[in-house]
Amino acid sequence: MSGPVIIVFGITGDLSKRKLLPALYHLLSQDLLPSDTQIIGISRRPLTTEKLLATVELCVLEKDNICDPEGLARVRNALQTLQLDPKNPSDFEALKHLLDKLDQTHKRERLFYMSVPASAYDPIITNLAAHGLNEQRNRLLLEKPFGHNLKSAGQLLKLVDSAYHESQIYRIDHYLAKETAQNVLAFRMHNPIFMPLWNAEHIQCIHIRALEALSIEERADFYDQTGALRDLIQSHLMQLLAITMMDIPADTSSHAIHRSKAMFLEQLLPADPAEAVRGQYDGYKSEVTDAGSHTETYARLQLEHATERWQGTEIILETGKALSEKTTDIVIEFKNPRERRRNNLTFQIQPNEGIGLGLVVKEPGFENHMRHAALEFSYSQVFAEQQIDAYERVLMDALRGDQALFASDREVLATWRVLDPVLEVWNKNDHGLQPYVKGSEGPPQD
């Protein structure tokens, strides 16, 4: 059977360089993709295969500090480029001709990867469908954020759904492809000692963070149009929240898990703007060359859930750039009626993926002094073999037709519904925008 054809729109973009090109190199160099796999890099501007290959080498060197010549040769054999204007139908005719040519011996699976902003989807998807590039073997991978608010997400869903069947659509959330994120559900399903504790009676707070030490760097155009709330909370953190708190279905198929996630998200109460914290690090306006920008680089929300199971449990989602540390984790804090010290369970998503359990123990000695102690599990220590990169998993699952780690229509709409009240307030002006110093913990908290 012939290998797939992976068509990447926006092959020269920042996301492609940082994540997608290294992932494709790894999959090819490790023989995880068939040797005759084809990669077509789509660019608005002229782009030679040689220049793109040089970009692949630089990206891999930056990520791995080494680039295997044999692996690079496999990428060279797979790679070709095509200049395409998304608004020019004749360019899509050229793309179709190229794809038909690759089908001469066998009809190949096709993966259209949209490494472009959602605002650019309309002409691309419309032209793909108009040229018959939406039959069942064609799959569509879409990056976040999917839309800009609830209204735009609904419009985008209609556009995509009019051209492709839901079974062909893969809305990427690469955080769900990380080993620890996948282990959240596995942990809950296969460790029954925690099952009776998974409710508001026993859990005081669930705090999910995605903190970054770096600033926006070379993503100024994208970030100033997006902001922290849309960039990470609407997608990654809401998805992590869903797999942490959703009901575990008896049937653990992809369809059943998506249904349970959607039901959980749909029962979250809309976020209260008065409880939201909004910040922007000093120097951001200069980086985006916009003295009037009120785009937030830090966001913190407190949410509530409508179901009896979770009423009273604090839910906190927090993200920011240019902070004192880089970490993504899920911290579950259990109630302790005896004292202020509490047990906590932490899923460390990055860096150093693992799971930790915080206990209260007695210190050695005659006095009855208590202190916290940690039991920790580290993926890198227990599993010596190299971990699969999240984008490698995303690509392989899409090629296999496994939608478990991708977001459904219902999930997307539910997350925007929760966030829309905050976005409506924040979009009007710089209401509540607090400055903070680079390298700090963010805006002052009450």
Side-chain angles (χ1 to χ4, degrees), residues 340-344 358-361 363 370-374:
R340 61 181 179 82
R341 296 184 184 87
R342 294 177 177 143
N343 300 130
N344 56 68
L359 304 174
V360 180
V361 300
E363 291 182 354
M370 310 302 291
R371 63 174 292 177
H372 273 111

Side-chain angles (χ1 to χ4, degrees), residues 78-178:
L79 202 59
Q80 53 184 307
T81 60
L82 180 68
Q83 184 178 359
L84 180 145
D85 179 350
K87 296 181 179 180
N88 187 351
S90 64
D91 287 353
F92 285 85
E93 192 63 41
L95 174 60
K96 184 178 187 304
H97 177 75
L98 176 57
L99 293 173
D100 288 344
K101 189 176 179 181
L102 293 172
D103 275 349
Q104 286 181 350
T105 57
H106 191 281
K107 283 194 172 184
R108 298 169 179 249
E109 298 288 332
R110 297 168 180 165
L111 205 62
F112 293 98
Y113 196 114
M114 299 294 157
S115 186
V116 295
S119 57
Y121 287 174
D122 193 341
I124 296 174
I125 292 172
T126 300
N127 273 302
L128 287 174
H131 290 82
L133 297 174
N134 60 343
E135 57 180 325
Q136 188 58 40
R137 63 180 167 131
N138 297 281
R139 292 169 186 160
L140 192 66
L141 267 76
L142 305 171
E143 277 286 352
K144 59 87 180 172
F146 194 80
H148 205 65
N149 54 20
L150 180 60
K151 181 179 179 180
S152 65
Q155 293 170 340
L156 202 53
L157 287 173
K158 288 181 181 179
L159 166 70
V160 176
D161 290 345
S162 69
Y164 291 86
H165 188 269
E166 180 68 12
S167 63
Q168 298 172 271
I169 303 167
Y170 296 76
R171 298 176 193 87
I172 298 167
D173 195 311
H174 71 271
Y175 269 45
L176 296 184
K178 293 179 181 294

Side-chain angles (χ1 to χ4, degrees), residues 23 28 42 54 148 153 157 215 266 269 313 323 363 384 402-403 426:
L28 284 165
I42 304 291
H148 205 65
L157 287 173
S215 61
E266 287 168 352
L269 298 180
T313 294
L323 299 173
E363 291 182 354
D402 184 350
Q403 292 183 305
W426 287 7

